[in-house]
Amino acid sequence: MLRGVNPILPLDEYIPDGEPHVFGDRIYLFGSHDTEGGTRYCSEQNYLGWSAPLADPANWRCDGEIYRANQDPDYVDGETNDLYAPDVVQGNDGRYYLYYTLNNSAGTSGHDICKVAVCDTPAGRFGYLGYVQNPDGSPHNDYLMGDPAVINDDGTIRLYFGWSISMVAAKAHAQGSGFSGEEQSKRYNAKPTGQKDAEQLPRPGSLDMNKRLAPVYVMLFNRTEQDTKDLKHPLMGANIIELADDMLTVKSDPKRIVPGQLDTPEDCSFFGHAFYEAASIRKIRGLYYFIYSSENSHELCYATSRYPDRDFCYRGTIISNGDVGFKGIKDGDRRNMTANNHGSLACINDQWYIFYHRHTHKSTFSRQACVEKVEIEADGRISQVECTSLGVSPAPLEPSGEFPAPICCVLTNGRMPHCTNTKLDMDIPYITHDGDERLITAIKDNTRIGYKYFAFTDRTKLVLKTRGDGNGRFVIATDQRQVGEIAVEGSRDWTTYQTEIEPQGIEALYFIYHGTGSVDLLSFELNSLQP
């Protein structure tokens, strides 16, 4: 296995929704568990422990299964029982607590009750402890309990959670283009055109929002108007509560820290990047960072505050899994198929990283963990970073040896979609598997495949391994210029083709196919031709 590159885990492993934490001398990644080529989220119904030594953060190992869905009392035999995005924190007693939600086809919702499991070590076998509860022992679920994130803040245990509608995701679910908060403002300001006034949503911030959205709450969350009539905020949004030392009992009333899309006024800093899902919390240099997936769903955004439970202000996007927004890239020019995103920040050997996930198999159900370096400025600002192939590699890759095709960070035919909750029936290139092989398939005319970055110094031999019925050529290019091309012919078996290239310095490497038919790419090889 090629170490240190994206995706950071083996190519046959699918750990999305990653929460990275440093405990002792190791970095741990806690996430949900998708199936290779799966048809629903988190369908492996367990959590795996993955960790790496801080001294060698490219050396990830699987610590085994740390929790199974059938340990939860709401598990129903014969139904789907999917464990959604978790988080882990060390309690004041030194033990480790796993916070999660269970979603099953018997009616238990991943947005309803937050569960807790406990273990003496970060990656041992966790045991069920209970659910987040009110002082009277009833489940705490005033607001939606999805995607729990937890922090031990100098002895105070704080739990962040929530979910909200994203109109972008909703439209993508129907294979539409979706629309953002900026476009949503037109709906608030437009005069009714043959519609009844009752169909117009209340303005953002209105306490009538819960009443007006009651049919949606019934359909999505089994919540009624009566359930929400005494809430201080709309049901959907990001919230915080404090927990007692038992790690279960709520000590404070929930507070709203970031609004959802339907509750974000135009003069709010979050407008256009309101909270959707994927809550995560970090405290860095005395500043609280709330990392989350915005209404645009493909991006991880962040907000900061000097306080853990109020005054959060939107600061920007950290990463998009299609590079949308990076150096002005628009939705229509996304560099990969985009879909949901989830992850957070971790500091490894004085370098900050953003963990996120990408999508494979032309679906949203086989997601893989990736990592990019970020810089946190003195004022707390984080500039958006691009997707690369580097992972935790300390420097650009050496152009030596064989590289699996799926480590690409760019995969586009120029019209890649945004999607949600689906396996696409669209003609696009995508990463997939065939038995024990992981590859890129459906490479057709004008497909661009990119790898960032290599440190070239010499004339280099390039070998591509392809198959398929395609007949044409791959143009080999950097960001600066074309450096060669390779003609390929149709073949049922893997066939190698080679050429010589001479890029100089630190460069991206692109393979752009021009021709007929469809090509699969398994790997490419680079070797110096220096005498």
Side-chain angles (χ1 to χ4, degrees):
M1 180 183 71
L2 188 64
R3 299 169 67 246
V5 300
N6 283 325
I8 58 173
L9 304 181
L11 288 174
D12 61 350
E13 191 60 273
Y14 298 82
I15 306 294
D17 307 326
E19 278 284 354
H21 291 288
V22 173
F23 295 127
D25 60 358
R26 298 187 71 82
I27 174 75
Y28 293 84
L29 182 64
F30 302 98
S32 49
H33 194 185
D34 286 351
T35 299
E36 186 167 58
T39 57
R40 68 180 193 275
Y41 296 120
C42 316
S43 53
E44 287 295 300
Q45 302 184 95
N46 69 357
Y47 295 130
L48 295 181
W50 282 90
S51 67
L54 295 180
D56 186 9
N59 187 20
W60 288 89
R61 78 178 185 204
C62 182
D63 295 309
E65 185 177 78
I66 63 174
Y67 195 69
R68 281 202 64 81
N70 61 12
Q71 296 176 246
D72 189 289
D74 288 326
Y75 177 90
V76 179
D77 193 32
E79 303 287 342
T80 61
N81 296 270
D82 302 327
L83 294 169
Y84 280 4
D87 197 10
V88 170
V89 69
Q90 188 172 23
N92 294 326
D93 60 359
R95 296 195 295 172
Y96 297 86
Y97 292 84
L98 171 73
Y99 290 75
Y100 71 95
T101 60
L102 177 75
N103 188 78
N104 69 25
S105 51
T108 299
S109 169
H111 297 293
D112 200 26
I113 300 176
C114 182
K115 311 295 187 69
V116 188
V118 64
C119 185
D120 290 336
T121 61
R125 188 62 181 254
F126 283 75
Y128 181 79
L129 179 65
Y131 51 79
V132 175
Q133 60 189 17
N134 298 311
D136 65 3
S138 62
H140 179 86
N141 60 356
D142 290 355
Y143 297 98
L144 302 177
M145 299 300 295
D147 295 348
V150 63
I151 186 173
N152 187 331
D153 187 10
D154 296 326
T156 300
I157 308 301
R158 307 186 193 277
L159 178 66
Y160 297 74
F161 57 91
W163 193 84
S164 179
I165 282 176
S166 159
M167 299 308 298
V168 174
K171 283 288 187 178
H173 183 58
Q175 293 308 292
S177 60
F179 54 91
S180 65
E182 290 94 336
E183 294 163 312
Q184 181 77 350
S185 67
K186 300 173 185 177
R187 302 182 70 199
Y188 295 131
N189 297 326
K191 295 180 179 179
T193 55
Q195 297 174 313
K196 296 180 180 179
D197 289 346
E199 293 178 342
Q200 299 297 307
L201 284 176
R203 286 188 173 273
S206 169
L207 294 180
D208 290 333
M209 190 71 76
N210 284 332
K211 182 177 180 179
R212 194 64 59 84
L213 291 178
V216 176
Y217 296 163
V218 172
M219 178 181 66
L220 294 180
F221 316 118
N222 198 30
R223 301 286 185 94
T224 67
E225 182 179 336
Q226 183 67 25
D227 294 331
T228 61
K229 70 180 182 64
D230 295 326
L231 294 181
K232 296 179 180 179
H233 305 282
L235 183 66
M236 297 182 291
N239 315 283
I240 176 182
I241 52 177
E242 289 185 22
L243 298 179
D245 282 345
D246 65 3
M247 308 300 281
L248 298 173
T249 305
V250 175
K251 289 180 59 177
S252 66
D253 290 335
K255 295 182 179 180
R256 175 63 45 87
I257 59 168
V258 180
Q261 181 176 359
L262 301 183
D263 196 40
T264 304
E266 293 182 51
D267 61 354
C268 176
S269 69
F270 292 96
F271 187 72
H273 301 274
F275 175 75
Y276 173 33
E277 59 184 0
S280 184
I281 187 69
R282 296 291 184 268
K283 188 177 183 182
I284 304 171
R285 304 170 193 160
L287 197 63
Y288 292 90
Y289 285 73
F290 183 71
I291 301 102
Y292 66 99
S293 178
S294 83
E295 64 190 77
N296 300 305
S297 85
H298 56 77
E299 64 183 9
L300 291 181
C301 296
Y302 75 108
T304 63
S305 175
R306 289 291 174 189
Y307 306 97
D309 57 358
R310 67 184 189 275
D311 297 345
F312 279 89
C313 183
Y314 174 77
R315 300 292 297 274
T317 297
I318 302 176
I319 195 164
S320 156
N321 53 28
D323 281 337
V324 176
F326 179 75
K327 293 187 176 179
I329 294 174
K330 303 297 185 183
D331 281 338
D333 299 319
R334 57 178 58 89
R335 292 173 173 174
N336 294 281
M337 181 194 94
T338 56
N340 63 57
N341 209 344
H342 194 145
S344 196
L345 295 165
C347 187
I348 305 174
N349 300 328
D350 298 322
Q351 171 65 57
W352 284 97
Y353 294 86
I354 183 68
F355 286 66
Y356 65 104
H357 65 232
R358 70 170 188 181
H359 296 259
T360 69
H361 289 76
K362 203 161 59 171
S363 86
T364 58
F365 308 125
S366 298
R367 300 162 293 174
Q368 293 183 310
C370 296
V371 172
E372 305 295 346
K373 291 180 180 180
V374 299
E375 299 299 330
I376 302 179
E377 305 295 338
D379 64 356
R381 185 175 61 90
I382 303 172
S383 296
Q384 183 172 348
V385 295
E386 66 177 331
C387 300
T388 75
S389 304
L390 297 178
V392 295
S393 298
L397 302 175
E398 292 297 322
S400 176
E402 188 172 14
F403 298 86
I407 71 166
C408 61
C409 56
V410 174
L411 182 57
T412 178
N413 60 4
R415 53 187 186 279
M416 300 299 281
H418 180 72
C419 62
T420 298
N421 304 344
T422 190
K423 185 173 178 65
L424 292 173
D425 183 18
M426 300 178 71
D427 188 13
I428 61 170
Y430 61 101
I431 295 166
T432 188
H433 77 289
D434 182 4
D436 292 332
E437 294 177 328
R438 277 82 205 168
L439 60 138
I440 301 173
T441 191
I443 301 167
K444 297 185 178 181
D445 191 46
N446 289 320
T447 294
R448 175 183 290 260
I449 307 166
Y451 302 86
K452 300 179 180 182
Y453 289 93
F454 287 97
F456 290 99
T457 56
D458 307 306
R459 195 160 51 93
T460 301
K461 182 173 77 171
L462 168 66
V463 181
L464 299 184
K465 186 176 289 187
T466 72
R467 71 180 182 191
D469 61 9
N471 285 278
R473 61 191 175 95
F474 279 96
V475 169
I476 317 302
T478 68
D479 280 325
Q480 308 302 320
R481 61 190 176 94
Q482 179 176 333
V483 293
E485 65 177 57
I486 292 179
V488 297
E489 299 177 351
S491 173
R492 296 179 60 183
D493 301 319
W494 291 115
T495 305
T496 58
Y497 303 90
Q498 69 181 54
T499 191
E500 295 180 11
I501 59 175
E502 197 168 0
Q504 293 294 320
I506 298 172
E507 294 277 13
L509 189 63
Y510 299 98
F511 308 142
I512 306 129
Y513 179 69
H514 298 289
T516 61
S518 178
V519 178
D520 295 343
L521 178 63
L522 181 66
S523 65
F524 63 99
E525 188 175 345
L526 296 169
N527 286 294
S528 171
L529 292 173
Q530 183 180 22

